[in-house]
Amino acid sequence: HQGDYDQAKMLYQRALPIVQKHYGQDHVAVSSTLTNLANVLQHQGDYNQAKVLYQRAIRIVQKHYGRDHVAASSALNNLANVLQHQGDYNQAKVLYQRAIRIVQKHYGRDHVAASSALNNLANVRQHQGDYDQAKVLYRCALGIKEKHYGEDHVEVSSTLTNLANVHQCQGDYDKAKVLHERGLRIMEKHYGEDHVEVSSTLTNLANVHQ
């Protein structure tokens, strides 16, 4: 994880034809390499090409495991994330909802695997201006994370920030302040008071006070 995306892209592009030749075009091993390459392209901002590769990976996974297999949920989440970056919120919403249904069907409603897709779906609803629905989804994700990680885990802090931002968008500054302050305490406990990760939480809290 050195952030050398050009080198990673070159290596995945070399690996892909080898894997395809060895296993065949539609083997599940190919979907893994496609996903890794798409992930690099997404980090580089090449959303169109990433989308094409994620779509191909989904077709392979669904052909191999079935449409509702838990392996498909991760692929759907990846594609939805790209669509969200491209501003295609309606299609992203549909895919996140599918991913959530699959995960909850396989693991149960409160499994931690659902929290990421719930958080992403909430973010889409927030961008679409549906703040009430975004709050419901963020609270669901928050409850799952608190149950799984504990109330003072850094994973909880990110969802507190997201929820606070929605309250702020609705003009509920008191609630936003409470949530940001709780997030700040978690971040300071985890990283220390002078860490760069703490500075973004301080900035969020300062914006509420303005």
Side-chain angles (χ1 to χ4, degrees):
H1 294 286
Q2 293 181 313
D4 189 348
Y5 295 119
D6 287 333
Q7 180 68 10
K9 181 171 73 171
M10 185 188 74
L11 293 169
Y12 284 133
Q13 285 171 332
R14 276 187 60 195
L16 184 59
I18 297 170
V19 174
Q20 289 177 150
K21 183 180 178 181
H22 185 78
Y23 293 110
Q25 294 275 337
D26 292 334
H27 193 276
V28 71
V30 173
S31 74
S32 179
T33 308
L34 287 167
T35 298
N36 289 332
L37 178 55
N39 192 257
V40 170
L41 292 167
Q42 184 178 348
H43 275 98
Q44 291 185 313
D46 189 349
Y47 298 122
N48 286 328
Q49 188 57 30
K51 182 169 72 172
V52 170
L53 295 177
Y54 280 140
Q55 285 169 332
R56 193 180 153 205
I58 288 170
R59 284 194 297 272
I60 293 170
V61 167
Q62 290 183 156
K63 181 180 177 182
H64 189 80
Y65 294 113
R67 282 180 57 83
D68 291 333
H69 193 276
V70 71
S73 68
S74 177
L76 290 166
N77 208 54
N78 288 332
L79 178 56
N81 199 256
V82 168
L83 293 167
Q84 185 177 347
H85 278 292
Q86 292 185 310
D88 189 350
Y89 297 120
N90 286 329
Q91 189 57 30
K93 180 178 74 172
V94 170
L95 294 176
Y96 282 138
Q97 287 170 332
R98 259 191 74 194
I100 290 166
R101 280 196 299 272
I102 292 169
V103 168
Q104 290 181 333
K105 178 183 175 183
H106 280 266
Y107 296 120
R109 293 189 60 82
D110 293 334
H111 195 276
V112 69
S115 65
S116 175
L118 283 165
N119 197 76
N120 291 336
L121 179 57
N123 193 257
V124 167
R125 301 306 285 162
Q126 184 177 347
H127 275 96
Q128 291 181 312
D130 189 349
Y131 298 126
D132 287 336
Q133 185 59 27
K135 279 194 300 190
V136 169
L137 293 164
Y138 280 136
R139 284 194 192 111
C140 285
L142 180 62
I144 291 170
K145 286 184 176 183
E146 286 176 334
K147 182 179 176 182
H148 184 80
Y149 296 111
E151 293 191 356
D152 292 333
H153 195 278
V154 71
E155 280 288 336
V156 170
S157 177
S158 62
T159 306
L160 286 168
T161 297
N162 291 334
L163 184 55
N165 287 337
V166 177
H167 281 286
Q168 193 171 339
C169 287
Q170 292 185 304
D172 189 352
Y173 299 113
D174 288 340
K175 185 64 175 175
K177 187 172 79 167
V178 169
L179 293 167
H180 279 313
E181 284 172 345
R182 188 182 156 202
L184 179 61
R185 286 194 297 272
I186 294 170
M187 295 297 270
E188 287 178 335
K189 180 180 176 182
H190 187 80
Y191 292 111
E193 292 186 3
D194 295 330
H195 195 278
V196 68
E197 291 289 344
V198 173
S199 68
S200 61
T201 312
L202 287 167
T203 301
N204 289 329
L205 185 56
N207 287 336
V208 175
H209 280 284
Q210 279 184 342

